[in-house]
């Protein structure tokens, strides 16, 4: 089983506008409300791929109920801790020029007792899972080193932990040596404390992280594919050129494909290929954090993985 952690779930509200101007009244042409948060996208794509997935984290209030109903509709198994606070909403404004502006709420206040309840639930799910994936930010009052604790517990049981987060949460999480991280170049610079832009520098930093004990490090370079370091080897992952209609959620879909590949016992090359195919399949899909299996299958034939 794959446990997918989304501590700070949200209702993602997508507004289509002609334009967006500060200080003016804007009328939306279309509004769409979906179950969001990076982990929920991961859970959705892994479920579409046919994996046995359980999504977990915190949910509260009417917004939490909305997300639970949506998860049922999407056939995603879930086991969330119910909290007193209200799950957040995240807003995305898409204008006619296809530029997207996002406003992400910080999330509800979670009590220490609710954090403890989550840790208990995590231990139960951990005992039944071989892969754990955690994505995104954490709600208010949740310790900024929570991922460290979750990674340590997974490591103690020899379970693979995939961490996709940023900022302080990523810097703290790295200390506990997750199995997989997926920093972008800005995050890589924050980790290494120096500018990283050339391919040579990216590879050097990936190797440093591998040596620290993080088995797999993938740095995405958008349309240029990604560079991955796994147990001392470096791989270049190249994806075909596609016309992206909605690249939001492509990183989450990559994580879902990676988790699925590991779960199926694929080689690292095949795991990276499935991950890249899912990331690209999401970009050509209008829905955020969703892929079509036929598109993934077709893309798999066009992805190249080369060892340096
Ligand atoms: O990038 C969009 C998104 O995937 C939305 O689903 C929204 O919920 C947000 O990210 C959450 O990101 P965060 O890092 O705050 O957990």
């Amino acid at each position: 089983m794959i446990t997918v952690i989304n501590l700070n779930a949200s209702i993602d509200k997508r507004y289509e506008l002609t334009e967006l101007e500060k200080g003016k009244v804007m009328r939306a042409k279309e509004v769409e409300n979906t179950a969001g948060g990076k982990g929920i996208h991961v859970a959705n794509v892994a479920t579409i791929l046919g994996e046995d997935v359980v999504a977990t984290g915190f949910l509260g209030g009417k917004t939490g109920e909305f997300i639970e109903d949506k998860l049922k509709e999407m056939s995603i198994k879930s086991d969330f801790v119910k909290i007193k606070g209200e799950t957040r909403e995240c807003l995305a404004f898409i204008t006619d020029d296809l530029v997207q502006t996002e406003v992400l709420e910080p999330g509800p206040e979670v009590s220490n007792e609710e954090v403890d309840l989550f840790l208990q639930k995590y231990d139960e799910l951990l005992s039944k899972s071989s892969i754990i994936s955690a994505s995104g930010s954490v709600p208010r009052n949740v310790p900024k080193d929570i991922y460290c604790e979750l990674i340590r517990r997974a490591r103690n049981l020899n379970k693979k932990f995939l961490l996709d987060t940023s900022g302080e949460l990523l810097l703290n999480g790295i200390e506990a040596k997750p199995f997989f991280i997926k920093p972008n170049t800005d995050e890589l610079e924050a980790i290494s404390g120096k500018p990283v832009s050339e391919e040579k520098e990216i590879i050097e930093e990936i190797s440093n992280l591998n040596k620290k004990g993080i088995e797999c490090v993938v740095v995405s370079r958008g349309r240029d594919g990604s560079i991955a370091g796994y147990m001392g080897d470096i791989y270049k992952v190249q994806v075909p050129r596609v016309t992206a209609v909605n690249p939001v959620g492509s990183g989450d879909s990559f994580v879902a494909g990676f988790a699925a590949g590991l779960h199926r016992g694929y080689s690292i090359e095949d795991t990276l290929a499935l991950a890249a195919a899912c990331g690209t399949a999401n970009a050509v899909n209008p829905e955020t954090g969703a892929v079509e299996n036929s598109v993934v299958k077709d893309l798999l034939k066009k992805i190249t993985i080369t060892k340096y």
Side-chain angles (χ1 to χ4, degrees):
M1 185 173 99
I2 305 173
T3 291
V4 177
I5 301 170
N6 194 144
L7 296 177
N8 209 2
S10 82
I11 296 185
D12 284 352
K13 298 177 78 73
R14 185 182 151 99
Y15 295 90
E16 281 179 32
L17 311 171
T18 307
E19 53 176 4
L20 183 60
E21 224 183 296
K22 220 171 138 185
K24 270 197 159 185
V25 174
M26 303 289 150
R27 289 193 190 271
K29 293 190 277 188
E30 293 290 341
V31 185
E32 191 191 37
N33 297 331
T34 54
K38 295 182 165 67
I40 286 180
H41 299 152
V42 174
N44 188 38
V45 172
T47 302
I48 293 171
L49 292 176
E51 297 305 311
D52 181 16
V53 175
V54 172
T56 186
F58 301 106
L59 284 182
K62 291 279 171 223
T63 42
E65 281 171 27
F66 173 91
I67 291 177
E68 259 201 319
D69 290 347
K70 283 279 176 198
L71 293 178
K72 277 193 201 119
E73 270 173 38
M74 294 154 87
S75 310
I76 300 173
K77 280 197 267 166
S78 70
D79 191 358
F80 281 81
V81 170
K82 302 287 155 27
I83 56 169
K84 286 209 185 81
E86 182 89 17
T87 290
R88 68 177 171 158
E89 294 178 324
C90 289
L91 318 182
F93 303 98
I94 328 293
T95 42
D96 279 354
D97 53 8
L98 297 181
V99 173
Q100 174 154 322
T101 309
E102 290 186 49
V103 180
L104 309 181
E105 290 185 10
E109 186 85 22
V110 177
S111 69
N112 295 344
E113 292 71 32
E114 289 166 339
V115 172
D116 286 344
L117 282 175
F118 172 75
L119 291 174
Q120 276 171 35
K121 190 177 286 299
Y122 176 68
D123 284 341
E124 281 163 34
L125 292 168
L126 190 55
S127 66
K128 296 183 247 169
S129 309
S130 52
I131 318 281
I132 300 92
S133 157
S135 302
S137 61
V138 299
R140 279 180 287 195
N141 193 48
V142 171
K144 287 278 191 265
D145 60 356
I146 187 153
Y147 288 140
C148 263
E149 181 58 29
L150 305 182
I151 295 163
R152 279 195 204 106
R153 291 183 190 204
R155 275 235 173 248
N156 286 343
L157 296 175
N158 271 327
K159 312 282 171 113
K160 293 186 170 80
F161 196 105
L162 320 185
L163 180 65
D164 185 18
T165 187
S166 54
E168 199 184 342
L169 290 160
L170 175 63
L171 292 178
N172 287 340
I174 282 175
E175 294 307 312
K177 302 181 180 59
F179 178 84
F180 164 98
I181 56 170
K182 194 183 71 56
N184 58 29
T185 42
D186 288 346
E187 284 152 5
L188 208 55
E189 288 186 357
I191 295 167
S192 66
K194 56 181 185 206
V196 180
S197 54
E198 300 297 317
E199 194 168 289
K200 207 172 94 211
E201 294 162 341
I202 295 176
I203 292 175
E204 201 179 301
E205 287 316 318
I206 290 177
S207 300
N208 287 342
L209 287 162
N210 284 155
K211 281 183 204 133
K212 263 193 167 182
I214 301 165
E215 283 93 330
C216 187
V217 180
V218 179
V219 176
S220 165
R221 306 176 83 207
R223 302 171 106 233
D224 294 331
S226 36
I227 302 176
Y230 178 70
M231 313 267 286
D233 289 318
I234 299 288
Y235 300 85
K236 191 168 191 161
V237 182
Q238 281 165 300
V239 295
R241 287 264 182 248
V242 293
T243 311
V245 291
N246 179 16
V248 183
S250 285
D252 309 331
S253 305
F254 186 102
V255 174
F258 194 90
L262 283 182
H263 200 221
R264 294 173 188 177
Y266 284 6
S267 66
I268 189 65
E269 286 93 341
D270 289 347
T271 301
L272 287 168
L274 182 58
C278 289
T280 311
N282 175 80
V284 297
N285 196 320
E287 236 183 281
T288 301
V291 299
E292 268 183 46
N293 276 315
S294 57
V295 176
V296 172
K297 212 169 148 194
D298 187 49
L299 283 165
L300 268 173
K301 296 179 210 145
K302 301 173 186 156
I303 282 165
T304 55
I305 314 282
T306 27
K307 210 171 179 179
Y308 273 81

